Amino acid sequence: MTNKNILITGGAGFIGSHVVRRFVNEYPDYQIFNLDLLTYAGNPENIKDIERKPNYHFIKGDIRDLAFIRNIFVENNITDVIHLAAESHVDRSITDPFVFIQTNVMGTANLIQAAREHWEEKWDGHLFYHVSTDEVYGALGATGLFTEETRYDPHSPYSASKASSDHIVRAYHDTYGLPVLISNCSNNYGPNQFPEKLIPLFINNIVHRKPLPVYGDGLYTRDWLYVIDHAIAIDLVFHKGKTGETYNIGGFNEWKNIDLIRLLCSIMDKKLGRPEGENAQLITYIKDRPGHDRRYAIDAGKINRELGWKPSVTFEHGLDKTIDWYLENAEWLSRVTSGEYRNYYEEMYGK
Ligand code: NAD
Ligand code: DAU
């Protein structure tokens, strides 16, 4: 196996931590440089188990700082990039769009420009892999699936910033020939997800008997994938994907929010020894998210046919493992729900 110096950005966040762990453990010949600013969403505890591995290196820093990024490429002779660092929560993008534009658009532009300069247009043996989202495709009606050919139609500042970053990455491929790959994935769930996103937020609220804030009519649909299956897909795309291509990644697993919430309530009635139906009483319908996309669903046929990927974890098993992880890691939850996050929560939902 060739030696590589891989810069993984956002590796202290939810998906990034699972990707970094996989690469550090599976590929001891690769040097893995985890670049993360440790914003409210980045938590070094997420990767504590690998921090002493000889092929793991943590760099605290900001992808918005081009001079700093250039230096990282030179000092560590970076050969490849797997770019996950981003502002990732739609509701936050509605409250504060500019940080999404700065991090997701300018941060991506800085990284790919630094890669271009450092690799000096000798592209052989290099790859810039950009991890993106299905939200760039906009919203589906009751039928149909997002394919790699679906026209971009983002609605939130978050998805618009991710769409812009995808376009920049493709432009560097088409203009300079820089070897790139993009994957667009559906909603992830699993251990270490920050409890502002639906599943961990609701698990935490159920534990503390707090209201479960359902946006609008609760009939919005998402396609859920266990985070480790996403990390496996990223590994496959990185090693076997065809340069310049896009791969959609999804769970073949659509749920209307309210059905998923009811399922979560009922599993947690049993796990917490509460009478059946007790947790569902916490369900509270609230004002809808502005610009809320009705339905997302991915056609993951291309990655299945070309790279042989499909989800390995059933939703039943993945959800069960996820709930157990949050119940067993109450300290992790209480630490991340303190401070900055608490202020944000009160702003969003009131006390
Ligand atoms: P996350 O919010 O949990 O983690 C983001 C990480 O990026 C954090 O560790 C944070 O500290 C870091 N970061 C933020 N701004 C930074 C900056 N300026 N410089 C350096 N680091 C910075 O996000 P996530 O849910 O793990 O998502 C990771 C990536 O995957 C994102 O690009 C997101 O768009 C994409 N994605 C997420 C999902 C999902 O369901 N969560 C689905 C598809 C794609
Ligand atoms: O589709 C991939 C995307 O999935 C990623 O790119 C994003 O980074 C990730 O945050 C996620 O976006 P969503 O907006 O789909 O995820 P979220 O968990 O915020 O919401 C899921 C659904 O649940 C959505 O329809 C809104 C609804 N919801 C969410 C919250 C936080 C509620 O009804 N109440 C809530 O309190």
Side-chain angles (χ1 to χ4, degrees), residues 93-246:
S93 82
I94 295 166
T95 322
D96 186 7
F98 267 55
V99 68
F100 283 70
I101 295 163
Q102 282 148 2
T103 296
N104 300 356
V105 183
M106 280 314 297
T108 303
N110 287 340
L111 279 165
I112 200 161
Q113 174 62 21
R116 176 182 165 226
E117 290 170 9
H118 186 64
W119 299 339
E120 292 178 325
E121 313 226 345
K122 296 182 198 80
W123 305 133
D124 216 25
H126 298 301
L127 178 64
F128 190 97
Y129 179 179
H130 178 58
V131 175
S132 193
T133 172
D134 62 355
E135 300 204 8
V136 298
Y137 298 123
L140 291 164
T143 57
L145 299 171
F146 295 136
T147 72
E148 288 79 1
E149 275 71 50
T150 303
R151 191 175 146 264
Y152 275 32
D153 184 22
H155 297 127
S156 71
Y158 163 69
S159 53
S161 68
K162 291 295 292 189
S164 311
S165 62
D166 292 11
H167 290 318
I168 290 165
V169 170
R170 285 201 186 93
Y172 270 64
H173 173 262
D174 296 349
T175 309
Y176 308 112
L178 199 138
V180 308
L181 277 165
I182 300 180
S183 56
N184 296 80
C185 188
S186 65
N187 287 63
N188 284 213
Y189 71 98
N192 305 98
Q193 187 169 30
F194 195 83
E196 62 187 353
K197 311 279 165 65
L198 183 74
I199 290 181
L201 174 73
F202 279 37
I203 294 174
N204 194 31
N205 283 14
I206 290 172
V207 169
H208 295 100
R209 298 180 196 274
K210 286 174 71 176
L212 305 177
V214 180
Y215 297 160
D217 61 7
L219 299 176
Y220 294 85
T221 299
R222 297 291 183 265
D223 171 0
W224 294 93
L225 177 70
Y226 193 59
V227 63
I228 290 173
D229 276 326
H230 189 188
I232 293 170
I234 289 174
D235 181 344
L236 255 182
V237 171
F238 179 82
H239 287 103
K240 303 250 158 54
K242 200 167 148 235
T243 301
E245 294 283 311
T246 293

Side-chain angles (χ1 to χ4, degrees), residues 10 12 56 68 89 98 114 123 147 171 179 196 199 225 259 267 270 274 278 318 351:
Y56 176 71
F68 175 76
H89 190 39
F98 267 55
W123 305 133
T147 72
E196 62 187 353
I199 290 181
L225 177 70
D259 296 337
I267 299 173
K270 294 190 193 74
R274 295 180 185 168
E278 185 169 299
K351 291 184 206 267

Side-chain angles (χ1 to χ4, degrees), residues 9 45 58 114 125 147 181:
T9 68
E45 256 188 271
F58 181 72
T147 72
L181 277 165

Side-chain angles (χ1 to χ4, degrees), residues 164-341:
S164 311
S165 62
D166 292 11
H167 290 318
I168 290 165
V169 170
R170 285 201 186 93
Y172 270 64
H173 173 262
D174 296 349
T175 309
Y176 308 112
L178 199 138
V180 308
L181 277 165
I182 300 180
S183 56
N184 296 80
C185 188
S186 65
N187 287 63
N188 284 213
Y189 71 98
N192 305 98
Q193 187 169 30
F194 195 83
E196 62 187 353
K197 311 279 165 65
L198 183 74
I199 290 181
L201 174 73
F202 279 37
I203 294 174
N204 194 31
N205 283 14
I206 290 172
V207 169
H208 295 100
R209 298 180 196 274
K210 286 174 71 176
L212 305 177
V214 180
Y215 297 160
D217 61 7
L219 299 176
Y220 294 85
T221 299
R222 297 291 183 265
D223 171 0
W224 294 93
L225 177 70
Y226 193 59
V227 63
I228 290 173
D229 276 326
H230 189 188
I232 293 170
I234 289 174
D235 181 344
L236 255 182
V237 171
F238 179 82
H239 287 103
K240 303 250 158 54
K242 200 167 148 235
T243 301
E245 294 283 311
T246 293
Y247 295 88
N248 278 356
I249 304 170
F252 303 95
N253 179 38
E254 282 185 57
W255 283 82
K256 287 199 171 60
N257 290 344
I258 192 64
D259 296 337
L260 168 54
I261 292 160
R262 289 195 185 283
L263 174 67
L264 200 59
C265 287
S266 125
I267 299 173
M268 290 191 66
D269 280 337
K270 294 190 193 74
K271 286 196 188 282
L272 298 172
R274 295 180 185 168
E276 206 183 318
E278 185 169 299
N279 290 329
Q281 288 170 22
L282 298 168
I283 292 174
T284 311
Y285 287 89
I286 66 164
K287 194 160 109 359
D288 211 347
R289 169 186 280 175
H292 200 169
D293 289 328
R294 194 59 166 169
R295 175 171 164 258
Y296 301 145
I298 280 274
D299 175 352
K302 176 176 172 182
I303 188 172
N304 176 255
R305 278 188 312 276
E306 295 186 9
L307 308 183
W309 178 89
K310 63 176 187 328
S312 66
V313 177
T314 63
F315 191 52
E316 192 189 14
H317 185 51
L319 194 60
D320 199 65
K321 283 211 293 197
T322 302
I323 297 168
D324 285 347
W325 187 86
Y326 284 97
L327 295 178
E328 284 157 16
N329 288 274
E331 272 191 29
W332 180 94
L333 254 179
S334 77
R335 272 199 291 276
V336 299
T337 48
S338 64
E340 205 270 339
Y341 171 66

